[in-house]
């Protein structure tokens, strides 16, 4: 039985995340396509679309695209999207619905240089749950961006997602609480404080341009945090 203490390094957590999404691809697609998650419906879908569209990109890479809703939303606005996800079932669903080009690919593959593309924006919507693999992925993103390209990440707001546990970066026990019983095997996830998120961007050579905290209209608490960053050419030149 796994110790539930926060901050414990769950061995293999990054791999467990992939296994969990593979098992839950079907119910996840249903939840997204039926717009069952209130915070997405009311706040965060619009937040990520706006954060991307305001930058006027022509080409976007959607990392961890899932069943492809964001690609379809951006395609409707004339943007060309390449979506990648590690789960073949989700990529099949995305391809069937159209709106972009979709590839089965893990963050590990992307970090290793498997994607030879250059885009105006790399976007990642609620799809970064790991530790070491996310660190490596961030290191790769600058090479996928055109000049003045942006990296846009929407994720759980740490102050809200923290709950009653200590506000400390580290692995946490997963849960599908609030989702229907067809969801199985929740994976551990790597909780990052705001300081840890900003450090992650900085270590990969990014400069934060914006940090948005869209509010949930009912709770008046942040429904998410959206980071918008660009490559800090000065920092890279100094290295
Ligand atoms: C919460 S879903 C979000 C999907 C989509 N971005 C959306 O907004 O609906 C997280 C996604 O991240 C993907 N993912 C998680 N770990 C991954 C990895 N190591 N490589 C590629 N995709 C990964 C999962 O397969 C899943 O589709």
């Amino acid at each position: 039985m796994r110790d539930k203490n926060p901050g414990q390094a769950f061995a293999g957590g990054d791999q467990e995340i992939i296994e969990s999404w593979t098992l839950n691809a079907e119910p996840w697609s249903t939840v997204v396509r039926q717009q069952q998650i209130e915070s997405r419906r009311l706040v965060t879908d619009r937040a990520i679309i706006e954060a991307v569209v305001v930058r006027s990109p022509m080409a976007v890479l959607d990392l961890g695209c899932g069943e492809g809703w964001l690609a379809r939303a951006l395609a409707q606005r004339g943007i060309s999207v390449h979506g990648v996800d590690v789960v073949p079932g989700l990529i099949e669903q995305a391809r069937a619905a159209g709106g972009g080009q979709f590839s089965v690919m893990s963050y590990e593959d992307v970090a290793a240089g498997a994607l030879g593309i250059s885009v105006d924006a790399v976007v990642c919507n609620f799809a970064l749950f790991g530790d070491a693999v996310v660190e490596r992925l961030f290191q790769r993103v600058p090479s996928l961006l055109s000049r003045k390209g942006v990296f846009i990440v929407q994720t759980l707001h740490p102050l809200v997602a923290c709950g009653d546990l200590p506000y400390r970066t580290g692995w946490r026990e997963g849960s599908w609480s609030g989702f229907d019983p067809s969801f199985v095997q929740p994976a551990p996830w790597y909780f990052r404080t705001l300081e840890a998120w900003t450090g992650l961007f900085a270590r990969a050579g990014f400069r934060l341009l914006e940090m948005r905290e869209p509010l949930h209209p009912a709770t008046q608490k942040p429904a998410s945090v959206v980071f918008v960053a660009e490559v800090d050419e000065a920092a890279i030149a100094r290295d």
Side-chain angles (χ1 to χ4, degrees):
M1 169 99 183
R2 190 158 53 206
D3 186 339
K4 292 186 181 171
N5 286 340
Q8 179 190 353
F10 289 168
D14 286 319
Q15 187 53 37
E16 283 182 64
I17 291 168
I18 295 179
E19 285 163 14
S20 176
W21 284 105
T22 305
L23 289 171
N24 293 295
E26 199 62 48
W28 176 254
S29 280
T30 306
V31 158
V32 172
R33 292 187 174 180
Q34 294 183 357
Q35 295 205 293
Q36 289 176 9
I37 304 175
E38 186 193 55
S39 57
R40 286 188 161 227
R41 209 169 53 238
L42 295 183
V43 188
T44 65
D45 284 0
R46 191 178 321 136
I48 191 71
I49 292 169
E50 277 176 13
V52 174
V53 167
V54 79
R55 298 275 157 192
S56 308
M58 284 163 61
V60 167
L61 170 64
D62 183 359
L63 290 173
C65 64
E67 54 67 61
W69 78 269
L70 182 57
R72 293 191 293 282
L74 296 176
Q76 278 171 13
R77 291 159 175 85
I79 300 170
S80 154
V81 185
H82 188 145
V84 305
D85 200 286
V86 70
V87 177
L90 289 170
I91 290 296
E92 267 167 41
Q93 302 246 21
R95 283 187 184 139
Q101 181 187 342
F102 298 97
S103 310
V104 177
M105 201 176 279
S106 69
Y107 297 155
E108 292 78 351
D109 295 335
V110 176
L115 263 184
I117 59 173
S118 172
V119 291
D120 308 307
V122 172
V123 60
C124 203
N125 192 52
F126 294 112
L128 298 172
F129 303 106
D131 175 17
V133 66
V134 171
E135 193 83 40
R136 288 196 295 274
L137 181 69
F138 268 55
Q139 297 289 330
R140 172 60 61 181
V141 172
S143 70
L144 299 170
L145 287 170
S146 58
R147 213 178 151 286
K148 293 279 167 207
V150 285
F151 185 21
I152 304 174
V153 173
Q154 175 161 241
T155 190
L156 299 172
H157 196 296
L159 285 175
V160 175
C162 184
D164 295 330
L165 294 176
Y167 188 70
R168 201 162 52 220
T169 295
W171 284 102
R172 289 193 171 189
E173 188 88 353
S175 158
W176 287 116
S177 147
F179 286 83
D180 83 59
S182 50
F183 282 88
V184 293
Q185 207 171 303
W189 60 290
Y190 197 73
F191 174 82
R192 286 184 174 82
T193 61
L194 277 181
E195 188 177 297
W197 277 110
T198 56
L200 183 64
F201 279 99
R203 281 192 299 284
F206 284 102
R207 187 169 67 90
L208 274 181
L209 298 173
E210 276 184 75
M211 193 181 81
R212 299 183 179 194
E213 297 173 294
L215 291 187
H216 191 291
T219 63
Q220 292 293 300
K221 301 260 195 266
S224 67
V225 57
V226 183
F227 300 99
V228 182
E230 71 175 2
V231 175
D232 184 348
E233 302 291 351
I236 286 179
R238 278 197 301 273
D239 284 346

